[in-house]
Amino acid sequence: MKVSVYDTHVVKKNGLTMHFDIIVPDDQTHEKVLQFGLEYLKRVGQEGQPLTTKECRFCHMEEASEDIEKAIKESGYYIYEMEGCN
């Protein structure tokens, strides 16, 4: 499965920055990517934090691994947490 990767940096409620990728099928709109990002922020207790095209930018396309493809088939997207996400 070909996917689009969106590099995302969000300032948390405590002022620190979280860095994660939102990975979606390559045919998703940026608006839908932002919706997925907001769902993720709510799930990790960061609802209400700004998430716009400024914080979430298209980075590149790649072939999804088996695990990522499975997650996308289940929920529509995959979050790859990198920094400050816990």
Side-chain angles (χ1 to χ4, degrees):
M1 168 189 283
K2 195 163 197 152
V3 294
S4 296
V5 179
Y6 288 79
D7 188 41
T8 309
H9 299 263
V10 173
V11 176
K12 295 166 58 172
K13 292 176 181 179
N14 65 7
L16 300 175
T17 299
M18 30 185 333
H19 178 205
F20 56 94
D21 284 343
I22 304 172
I23 303 173
V24 298
D26 66 343
D27 61 350
Q28 286 291 356
T29 65
H30 201 141
E31 292 76 23
K32 190 68 175 173
V33 173
L34 294 176
Q35 286 180 333
F36 291 145
L38 291 171
E39 284 178 23
Y40 167 71
L41 290 175
K42 184 175 183 179
R43 191 170 70 238
V44 298
Q46 295 299 318
E47 66 275 3
Q49 297 307 98
L51 183 63
T52 67
T53 54
K54 179 182 174 193
E55 292 84 18
C56 178
R57 297 181 183 190
F58 174 77
C59 184
H60 65 277
M61 296 176 84
E62 63 184 48
E63 282 296 320
S65 69
E66 206 172 288
D67 290 340
I68 291 174
E69 186 171 344
K70 181 180 177 197
I72 288 173
K73 286 180 179 177
E74 290 174 4
S75 63
Y77 66 101
Y78 179 80
I79 301 293
Y80 180 72
E81 297 176 327
M82 288 180 273
E83 297 175 73
C85 294
N86 48 10

